[in-house]
Amino acid sequence: MLEHQQKPPRSTSRFSSSKLTGLAASGVPSRGLFIIELVVALLITRIPYLSVPFKWLESYFHELSHGIATILSSGVVSHIQLFPNGAGFCFSQGGSPMLIGFAGYFGAACWGYLIYLLATWPKGIRVSFALLGALVVLSGLLWGRDILTLAILAVLTIILLLPLKLSQNKMLTQFLRIIGLMIMLNALASPTVLLGLDGQGDAVMLAERSWIPAWIWVGLWLLTSACALYFAWRRVDNAASR
């Protein structure tokens, strides 16, 4: 009888251990680790100089999204231009101005969330880094024209390919998760700058073409980025609840 009463605690312990092992194998962090990584990502985006390359990542995916929207709406991309302060331009002809204008901030948030999802796939983590690095290289070959843009794209390629030198997948997945969180955080902060711009920016262009006030477009982008962060949290929370 005494042995029977002692079994449930041991069974519970085995279940918890198995649960933690499953989380680690899936690449999904615990709730507590997610909060820590989110705080680390937030701090990095606020540190001068150190945050610059990661702002370039958000800017790159912003302009890449403009380019993809241009192609999807039957337009032609001439080239993209990136600047050290995190600004950028996508020069194109044709396509749907509304779709192209909206795609930038919306796409950056979606890319951040996609990268976070890729970071929960340990077996394919090296492939994920390699594909992202190859995407940056391809963008440079197709749409890079000036030395400054090519230099920034080269730095981004190094950021994405250098971690492949690491021997532990756990470190790779954590680094990629933090990158995804930083892109989502930067995508959340970037549209607010448009509220202080008079007569320029994607929100103003969309407002002029749609008669919908610029602040509503900014609000939609903020909502998109907030939802991306929420879905990342739900990914973690759902895995921890299983």
Side-chain angles (χ1 to χ4, degrees):
M1 180 65 70
L2 180 61
E3 292 179 355
H4 177 74
Q5 291 174 347
Q6 291 175 341
K7 286 182 180 180
R10 289 201 298 268
S11 177
T12 302
S13 175
R14 287 197 300 270
F15 173 78
S16 300
S17 176
S18 175
K19 187 175 181 180
L20 291 174
T21 302
L23 282 174
S26 70
V28 181
S30 64
R31 296 185 182 100
L33 184 56
F34 174 86
I35 298 299
I36 293 174
E37 290 175 351
L38 182 62
V39 171
V40 170
L42 182 60
L43 289 176
I44 293 176
T45 60
R46 295 296 181 266
I47 297 176
Y49 302 111
L50 180 61
S51 64
V52 171
F54 300 104
K55 289 182 180 178
W56 292 347
L57 270 173
E58 189 271 335
S59 179
Y60 163 73
F61 284 115
H62 178 107
E63 303 308 330
L64 177 65
S65 299
H66 279 317
I68 293 174
T70 300
I71 294 173
L72 291 178
S73 58
S74 302
V76 177
V77 178
S78 169
H79 62 283
I80 61 174
Q81 193 170 9
L82 302 175
F83 299 93
N85 64 354
F89 292 105
C90 178
F91 297 88
S92 60
Q93 293 180 338
S96 168
M98 293 288 293
L99 178 62
I100 296 170
F102 183 75
Y105 292 107
F106 176 83
C110 292
W111 278 104
Y113 178 61
L114 175 62
I115 289 172
Y116 192 85
L117 288 184
L118 290 175
T120 64
W121 180 37
K123 292 183 179 179
I125 198 67
R126 294 183 179 277
V127 176
S128 301
F129 269 102
L131 288 177
L132 290 171
L135 179 63
V136 177
V137 171
L138 180 61
S139 303
L141 294 174
L142 293 176
W143 299 333
R145 297 291 183 271
D146 62 286
I147 297 299
L148 184 56
T149 298
L150 291 174
I152 291 175
L153 291 176
V155 172
L156 298 184
T157 303
I158 292 173
I159 290 175
L160 293 171
L161 294 184
L162 191 59
L164 293 177
K165 293 291 185 178
L166 297 174
S167 59
Q168 295 183 3
N169 274 6
K170 184 177 180 180
M171 296 178 66
L172 285 174
T173 55
Q174 190 165 38
F175 182 61
L176 193 60
R177 287 198 303 264
I178 292 175
I179 286 179
L181 289 172
M182 281 191 288
I183 292 174
M184 286 185 277
L185 288 171
N186 280 325
L188 183 62
S190 295
T192 59
V193 178
L194 300 179
L195 295 174
L197 297 179
D198 186 17
Q200 55 182 315
D202 293 341
V204 173
M205 184 275 290
L206 290 171
E208 291 175 346
R209 292 180 176 272
S210 66
W211 299 98
I212 298 174
W215 66 267
I216 291 182
W217 293 108
V218 172
L220 288 174
W221 289 322
L222 293 176
L223 180 62
T224 299
S225 300
C227 285
L229 285 168
Y230 173 74
F231 290 147
W233 163 252
R234 289 299 300 168
R235 174 84 174 95
V236 172
D237 189 52
N238 288 338
S241 299
R242 291 172 186 169

